[in-house]
Amino acid sequence: MQTRLLDSRTKERFSCQRVRPERPVPSLAEDAQLGLLTPPRSLPPKYFYDSHGSALFDRICTTPEYYVTRTESALLAARAAAIIDASRPDHIVELGSGASRKTHHLLQACELSCAPCTYWPYDVCESILVEAGERLMAAFDWLDVNALVGDYHAGLRHLPEPQGRCLYAFLGSTIGNFDGPQAVALLQELNLKMRPGDSLLLGADRVKDATILHAAYNDAAGLTAAFNLNLLRVLNRELDADFAPEAFDHEARYDEEAQQVEMYLVARRSQSVHLGVLDESLRLEAGERILTEISRKFTPDKLDTLLHEAGFNVTAHYEPEDSYFSLILASPRGANGAQVSYPRIQGGAAARS
Ligand code: SAH
Ligand code: AVI
């Protein structure tokens, strides 16, 4: 693919291809048919990310309340050299890469250790892939970016298999947007794709005080609300629907028992909405909710179990002093399946068990 955004020199270092689905996934119309017409109503979170939704998410990451991005970014900045040293990647393949801002730390560590690599960002949102690729190529004049457009729910089998070691990054706690079985299934599929010597770098948000979580998903500037409500604009455009965004409230609440933030769109009044593409209407009563996202929060034990079930050995577990976030380096379990014990490494320096 060629884009207007890139000059001729950077174009040579940039490619963008679609990842062929390994299996069919429901279209937005099918997901709406299944999830919207009758209660309990829900839609998968991937539909947030049209170009406007991706830009809104990028702004959420800079709000004072959304500690997730700055915490993971600081952890990556402190640990990138060790991660690159341990994984020695020829390629960094990033799932749900978005604006790829934190990836900068990994690429910088590659540069500092004189070990250039190729970057393969993989996302459903093509415009954010192009923007991110352009920014990273401007920052690293040696970097080739091969962007991959696709839905990781459609399987990972057809991801390219470049020669050399791959570091697969899945950052931002996007794994938390999957329910338990979905998370295991995705990581298992990734495991199957991986070859000896490849590594996984997983970023995952941790269980913490409910007030901090509540604030993170209800920022004062209203960006998370705008991000949530943007879904209705996506539905209006893609399904010829007539949702009135002003007739909905954003709601985000932490369910302490389930250890997850749940995000809803709540009807402010009773209303009927027509979905033109489906030639269907739905009737919402005042206060009725549409679940738009879960964002699971993890304990170290839960992360160990998840990775174990998906067939990984954890090789390093980094966390900040406040234990707000985990960055885990893991490798596919070998034939003998033994898990070697590993330390949880806190803060910017000392290792602690
Ligand atoms: N990794 C970045 C972005 C996280 S936002 C960070 O840590 O800041 C989640 C990203 O995953 C978005 O860019 C979104 O477009 C992408 N995404 C969501 N669902 C996806 C899917 N099913 N397949 C591929 N990408 C997806
Ligand atoms: C991408 N994902 C991990 C974010 C999260 O925290 O669940 C999406 C988000 N939703 C609201 N704010 C941020």
Side-chain angles (χ1 to χ4, degrees):
M1 192 196 77
Q2 306 235 309
T3 72
R4 272 182 300 116
L5 294 170
L6 306 178
D7 66 32
S8 58
R9 190 166 161 272
T10 43
K11 254 185 213 163
E12 284 165 20
R13 298 191 283 132
F14 182 79
S15 73
C16 184
Q17 58 180 292
R18 279 197 178 271
V19 178
R20 190 156 55 87
E22 175 187 335
R23 53 178 173 264
V25 280
S27 64
L28 173 56
E30 288 162 337
D31 275 328
Q33 178 100 44
L34 273 171
L36 273 191
L37 296 182
T38 49
R41 303 181 206 268
S42 69
L43 276 177
K46 65 183 171 188
Y47 298 118
F48 285 133
Y49 301 96
D50 66 345
S51 57
H52 186 55
S54 289
L56 281 170
F57 178 71
D58 201 27
R59 292 176 63 202
I60 289 172
C61 293
T62 66
T63 60
E65 295 92 341
Y66 196 69
Y67 62 86
V68 178
T69 307
R70 63 173 180 278
T71 306
E72 187 182 31
S73 190
L75 202 51
L76 262 176
R79 298 299 177 181
I83 291 164
I84 293 301
D85 192 44
S87 56
R88 292 180 298 127
D90 300 297
H91 306 275
I92 296 178
V93 183
E94 183 171 356
L95 275 61
S97 48
S100 301
R101 292 192 194 277
K102 288 166 289 188
T103 321
H104 193 103
H105 298 303
L106 294 172
L107 295 170
Q108 196 153 41
C110 290
E111 184 171 271
L112 288 172
S113 62
C114 299
C117 65
T118 302
Y119 180 46
W120 304 76
Y122 175 27
D123 206 285
V124 271
C125 179
E126 187 168 345
S127 60
I128 199 84
L129 285 167
V130 173
E131 275 174 49
E134 189 181 30
R135 194 174 347 94
L136 287 174
M137 287 186 299
F140 301 102
D141 62 6
W142 46 267
L143 185 68
D144 284 351
V145 176
N146 298 325
L148 304 166
V149 188
D151 180 344
Y152 41 57
H153 295 298
L156 305 178
R157 186 176 295 169
H158 299 307
L159 280 182
E161 291 178 353
Q163 286 237 314
R165 263 185 307 273
C166 290
L167 171 61
Y168 288 92
F170 195 27
L171 303 178
S173 201
T174 301
I175 192 69
N177 299 139
F178 292 59
D179 67 22
Q182 272 180 338
V184 175
L186 181 94
L187 294 180
Q188 273 171 342
E189 286 198 59
L190 186 57
N191 189 318
L192 285 176
K193 185 79 195 166
M194 291 167 72
R195 294 168 298 198
D198 289 351
S199 307
L200 165 67
L201 180 64
L202 180 70
D205 198 16
R206 296 272 289 273
V207 168
K208 58 182 61 63
D209 193 285
T211 46
I212 292 163
L213 289 166
H214 185 268
Y217 291 81
N218 292 280
D219 64 280
L223 290 167
T224 309
F227 173 72
N228 197 8
L229 288 159
N230 180 54
L231 184 60
L232 299 176
R233 296 199 169 83
V234 171
L235 294 170
N236 285 350
R237 185 180 65 233
E238 302 295 327
L239 298 183
D240 186 24
D242 59 2
F243 281 98
E246 66 282 2
F248 288 83
D249 283 324
H250 160 75
E251 183 187 324
R253 51 182 293 275
Y254 181 56
D255 181 332
E256 296 210 30
E257 208 178 306
Q259 298 183 323
Q260 63 187 26
V261 174
E262 294 167 2
M263 221 157 73
Y264 296 94
L265 288 165
V266 187
R268 300 179 80 153
R269 50 174 161 77
S270 56
Q271 55 193 287
S272 291
V273 181
H274 186 65
L275 304 174
V277 164
L278 296 177
D279 197 19
E280 296 269 13
S281 290
L282 58 138
R283 172 97 196 138
L284 291 163
E285 299 309 325
E288 248 202 84
R289 307 189 298 184
I290 302 169
L291 175 67
T292 54
E293 183 183 71
I294 61 162
S295 194
R296 293 165 64 218
K297 307 300 164 190
F298 298 89
T299 59
D301 282 354
K302 285 243 169 84
L303 288 169
D304 280 350
T305 305
L306 168 62
L307 285 158
H308 183 79
E309 283 178 10
F312 286 94
N313 268 343
V314 173
T315 49
H317 187 150
Y318 304 104
E319 61 182 27
E321 302 278 346
D322 59 12
S323 303
Y324 269 22
F325 201 86
S326 286
L327 259 184
I328 296 180
L329 196 60
S331 53
R333 210 165 30 243
N336 71 12
Q339 164 70 65
V340 182
S341 67
Y342 63 90
R344 289 226 315 275
I345 304 168
Q346 276 208 321
R352 247 178 48 173
S353 295

